[in-house]
Amino acid sequence: MRFGFSFWLFGICILLQMNGVFADTVQDSLFEKVLEAEDAGDAVQTIALLEMAREREGTHSEEIRQILSEYYDALGVSGTDFGEERRLHFFSKMELVGIYYKEFGDSLEASEFSGEGYLLLGVEYRRRFGGLQHTWAIRGMSNLFWHEDETVFDTSRWVFLPMLEYSLQGERFEVDAGAGVQFSDGNEAVFSGTFSGKFALYSQGNFQNGLELFSFFDENGRGRVKLGAYAENRPAKGFWANAVLSARFDRDTSVNAYFWYPKPPSDFPIPGEDAGFEFGNGFAVADSVRERYYYGSDKKLGPEIDGKIGYRFQELFSLELWGNLFVAWNPEADEWKAAQEDFGGVPRWKNVTWNRKTLQGFFRLQGGIQGEVLGAYLSVGMFFHRFLDLPSGHPEYSADTYWIGDMRMGVSACF
């Protein structure tokens, strides 16, 4: 698979990430109204808005719960831990994407236009008691990919991914776990799972830092693990910023390719493995020998940095820019047979190895309007991937660089 896994995982992660971005945006908007009502001295309206903001989990959740607790303490209301609460939410998102692909470094320099559409539907049930919030969710994501019959993308024309998710949120931590099964055009069902966690080590006002963990895996052996430290400053309005420095490991499926050559007569000495094609045309016999000429393992290990900046306006409009840079090295080398100069008309072959070294990343600029129920957004972005010191004789890759640019527009609803 040349582009399938990295492209799909990138798209899915961005889509799931936008769920959190919209949750923060709604809560930020409500929190702004809370501050305005508090400045006006309207305690009843302040408490009502705080209760609404508390239902929308986001960056200010702990601060909101603390303020509510202080209000209820001052009013002498019992059950300052808010007792036991139950909430049911429905959410949906639809997104259309235009894609342009371009590669560099070979004589073809392939390029193509394509597109896809996402539809996300779900329901979640929240229950808070004992100072902890539990959330159970059922999500269904469907994707339709439009492309030509011959395409550089190794991906299915359609995908359906139902998922079950559970999250637990406390005063200084949040953990999430999910499991799903992916159905796609022409492929068998593939089970997958995710786990992530965020643990605050220090918090003061709008500033917070701590540790983040993310992991993904599926039954085909593909996976990703990230562990890093984050720092963020997110006021209710104005500029905010977030940065994460992580160690990251990716694993995709390995590639094996073989050639066949006729088996020589039994009284003829069989050459070593490095002889390779010597007997490709020399002996026409019924039996043949299979020999691997290429093995490639797509593993990536290295540091990654994520950065986000944004501006929250007084109204419901926000503008955000986020990006990522990942420098990766493959500890398991690719290996293949390369032809050497002829000696007396007989070609010689030798094993060549190369540990992949890559640089990849993306950036995205997005503007959106998010109300308490409905939202809309428009974004542009680019993902790039570059092999560093790619040998010219590598049998799998000829292009040393490719990038994927896209434009996305979507609408969302949560009630």
Side-chain angles (χ1 to χ4, degrees):
M1 287 200 171
R2 187 170 180 180
F3 304 109
F5 174 64
S6 60
F7 184 74
W8 272 105
L9 188 57
F10 170 69
I12 291 173
C13 288
I14 289 295
L15 190 64
L16 295 179
Q17 184 183 47
M18 285 191 290
N19 288 327
V21 170
F22 284 127
D24 285 340
T25 304
V26 174
Q27 192 185 70
D28 288 347
S29 176
L30 290 170
F31 195 55
E32 289 178 18
K33 296 178 181 179
V34 167
L35 298 178
E36 294 172 358
E38 194 171 36
D39 290 340
D42 190 342
V44 175
Q45 180 69 4
T46 300
I47 292 175
L49 290 169
L50 283 168
E51 288 285 3
M52 293 174 62
R54 183 165 56 89
E55 295 178 11
R56 306 281 189 173
E57 288 300 320
T59 306
H60 302 289
S61 297
E62 295 304 321
E63 186 177 358
I64 289 169
R65 281 193 279 270
Q66 181 62 33
I67 296 173
L68 267 175
S69 178
E70 293 172 358
Y71 266 105
Y72 288 143
D73 282 341
L75 295 173
V77 178
S78 60
T80 56
D81 64 347
F82 313 116
E84 181 178 322
E85 296 189 16
R86 297 179 174 87
R87 302 283 181 180
L88 187 66
H89 293 282
F90 297 89
F91 54 88
S92 64
K93 184 182 280 117
M94 183 175 67
E95 181 179 89
L96 297 177
V97 188
I99 302 169
Y100 177 65
Y101 168 84
K102 178 69 174 177
E103 69 180 31
F104 308 89
D106 63 2
S107 58
L108 297 178
E109 294 190 347
S111 63
E112 79 173 51
F113 290 93
S114 56
E116 58 187 336
Y118 288 103
L119 177 62
L120 177 68
L121 298 173
V123 58
E124 66 179 20
Y125 174 69
R126 296 179 181 176
R127 185 177 179 182
R128 181 183 291 108
F129 58 92
L132 298 174
Q133 176 173 280
H134 305 260
T135 304
W136 294 267
I138 301 175
R139 305 175 187 266
M141 188 186 78
S142 180
N143 172 274
L144 182 62
F145 185 71
W146 296 282
H147 58 67
E148 303 170 357
D149 292 336
E150 296 295 330
T151 176
V152 296
F153 294 111
D154 181 13
T155 188
S156 302
R157 289 188 178 272
W158 60 264
V159 168
F160 176 60
L161 176 63
M163 295 189 67
L164 296 175
E165 298 178 357
Y166 168 75
S167 67
L168 176 65
Q169 183 170 341
E171 183 178 355
R172 302 181 68 88
F173 75 92
E174 180 177 0
V175 293
D176 300 271
V181 55
Q182 176 176 294
F183 303 92
S184 58
D185 177 30
N187 296 311
E188 298 180 354
V190 178
F191 292 90
S192 62
T194 61
F195 178 82
S196 62
K198 188 173 183 178
F199 310 91
L201 300 178
Y202 174 79
S203 181
Q204 179 66 41
N206 296 318
F207 177 80
Q208 186 179 93
N209 65 14
L211 301 176
E212 283 189 357
L213 169 68
F214 172 80
S215 62
F216 165 87
F217 63 91
D218 71 17
E219 64 174 320
N220 287 336
R222 298 167 175 165
R224 171 174 297 178
V225 178
K226 291 172 55 174
L227 177 62
Y230 75 91
E232 67 179 7
N233 185 63
R234 188 185 288 265
K237 59 183 178 180
F239 283 101
W240 60 267
N242 173 279
V244 185
L245 179 61
S246 307
R248 170 175 158 182
F249 174 75
D250 287 4
R251 184 183 188 277
D252 203 345
T253 51
S254 299
V255 178
N256 284 283
Y258 297 86
F259 66 78
W260 296 81
Y261 61 86
K263 185 177 179 180
S266 57
D267 59 347
F268 195 93
I270 298 178
E273 183 180 358
D274 62 347
F277 292 96
E278 278 190 60
F279 297 91
N281 299 316
F283 301 94
V285 295
D287 295 332
S288 59
V289 175
R290 186 177 79 156
E291 188 171 331
R292 188 179 71 190
Y293 81 92
Y294 172 70
Y295 169 73
S297 174
D298 194 2
K299 295 182 174 66
K300 299 184 180 75
L301 174 65
E304 180 185 60
I305 184 168
D306 293 271
K308 301 178 185 178
I309 58 173
Y311 189 85
R312 288 284 302 120
F313 295 87
Q314 185 68 26
E315 301 299 327
L316 301 181
F317 178 71
S318 65
L319 188 64
E320 298 162 346
L321 173 67
W322 66 91
N324 164 284
L325 193 63
F326 178 38
V327 183
W329 173 75
N330 189 343
E332 187 174 358
D334 296 351
E335 60 180 86
W336 65 92
K337 293 184 181 299
Q340 304 300 298
E341 295 182 1
D342 288 357
F343 295 92
V346 179
R348 299 292 181 181
W349 302 83
K350 75 170 185 177
N351 286 339
V352 180
T353 62
W354 180 66
N355 294 83
R356 300 190 195 188
K357 296 178 283 292
T358 59
L359 175 67
Q360 67 183 60
F362 74 88
F363 74 87
R364 181 164 300 280
L365 177 65
Q366 176 172 297
I369 299 176
Q370 181 67 42
E372 296 179 11
V373 176
L374 298 176
Y377 59 91
L378 176 67
S379 73
V380 292
M382 186 186 77
F383 171 83
F384 72 89
H385 186 286
R386 178 175 177 80
F387 289 100
L388 305 177
D389 304 321
L390 178 66
S392 59
H394 195 288
E396 186 181 7
Y397 296 107
S398 55
D400 56 29
T401 305
Y402 68 87
W403 58 266
I404 303 169
D406 67 57
M407 177 178 289
R408 299 168 180 261
M409 55 183 178
V411 294
S412 66
C414 184
F415 53 91

